[in-house]
Amino acid sequence: QFGVDPTWVDSKTLDELERKIKNCVKCPLGKMRTNFVFGVGNPNSEVVFIGEAPGADEDLQGEPFVGRAGQLLNQLLAGVGFRRDEVYICNVLKCRPPGNRDPQTSEIEACSPYLIKQLEIIKPKLIVSLGRFPVQTLLRTNASLTSLRGQIFEWRGIKMIATYHPAAALRNQQWKRPLLEDLRKAREILY
Ligand code: URA
């Protein structure tokens, strides 16, 4: 069904989940992708950073946040004491929307069960939403990022904060510092 092994829901590890869903064609993005971008990092991480969807670089390399936004993210993470390889990084959508347009509701509905399964397997202590899509998806709200930022939410017992997307901070330099401060706060929530 949909070209995906329906037993993915019982996956016990990230590797098993990835193997079972990487040929997904539940939505049209599955037929346009170069690579399915599952996620990267430490499967035992206490923190998971979630972005929106793969961009062109991510689609080509099969890894999240490897383009310009990813370089900024790495730099900011390092600035507050997180190493990219000790945390876990993924996106709401695993396949690139054409021209990097916003994810559509139907695509989020199709793909977000995979994100939720990743979170169930990793069981982090903290989720950091980069931009509005991850927090809106998990909390099932349409509230703006401005109204969501600065609060600590709980999603199934896991703390969650929302901050600016690094790509947005590249376009609007004034958001870089608050993004860095939010990442520092994430560090403080954990340690
Ligand atoms: N933007 C995202 O939201 N995710 C990526 O992986 C890259 C850019």
Side-chain angles (χ1 to χ4, degrees):
Q1 157 203 13
F2 304 129
V4 191
D5 184 341
T7 63
W8 67 266
V9 284
D10 298 323
S11 298
K12 298 282 182 284
T13 66
L14 291 178
D15 285 346
E16 180 186 1
L17 178 63
E18 178 173 12
R19 185 165 42 80
K20 288 179 171 172
I21 66 176
K22 69 179 183 195
N23 296 318
C24 178
V25 284
K26 274 204 287 179
C27 86
L29 300 184
K31 293 170 192 124
M32 304 181 203
R33 69 174 171 244
T34 310
N35 281 296
F36 184 89
V37 181
F38 179 75
V40 71
N42 173 8
N44 301 310
S45 180
E46 298 198 324
V47 57
V48 174
F49 296 89
I50 311 174
E52 182 175 313
D57 296 305
E58 291 75 22
D59 176 59
L60 284 176
Q61 296 184 44
E63 183 171 327
F65 285 101
V66 291
R68 276 187 69 218
Q71 283 165 21
L72 176 61
L73 180 63
N74 291 347
Q75 194 185 315
L76 296 174
L77 288 178
V80 302
F82 284 122
R83 281 203 340 265
R84 182 179 167 102
D85 64 347
E86 73 177 358
V87 303
Y88 194 82
I89 303 174
C90 60
N91 287 302
V92 175
L93 295 191
K94 310 306 190 211
C95 300
R96 182 192 182 205
N100 301 342
R101 63 153 170 74
D102 283 352
Q104 291 174 354
T105 304
S106 58
E107 294 158 356
I108 293 176
E109 273 173 17
C111 209
S112 59
Y114 300 151
L115 170 66
I116 289 170
K117 190 72 207 177
Q118 284 174 301
L119 293 169
E120 283 175 359
I121 292 172
I122 299 170
K123 297 189 185 71
K125 293 198 167 68
L126 177 67
I127 295 166
V128 180
S129 173
L130 302 170
R132 67 190 165 94
F133 284 98
V135 66
Q136 286 183 340
T137 299
L138 293 175
L139 294 184
R140 299 189 158 276
T141 175
N142 289 317
S144 70
L145 180 62
T146 313
S147 68
L148 297 167
R149 194 180 154 251
Q151 303 185 58
I152 301 179
F153 299 101
E154 274 217 1
W155 179 81
R156 302 194 185 175
I158 303 170
K159 291 194 174 76
M160 173 163 59
I161 63 170
T163 186
Y164 297 112
H165 192 290
L170 284 174
R171 289 192 298 270
N172 301 279
Q173 293 289 325
Q174 79 271 16
W175 290 345
K176 223 172 181 172
R177 183 160 292 277
L179 169 54
L180 182 69
E181 289 312 316
D182 288 347
L183 296 177
R184 205 184 304 282
K185 186 171 137 193
R187 184 94 195 164
E188 284 164 10
I189 291 171
L190 282 175
Y191 305 111

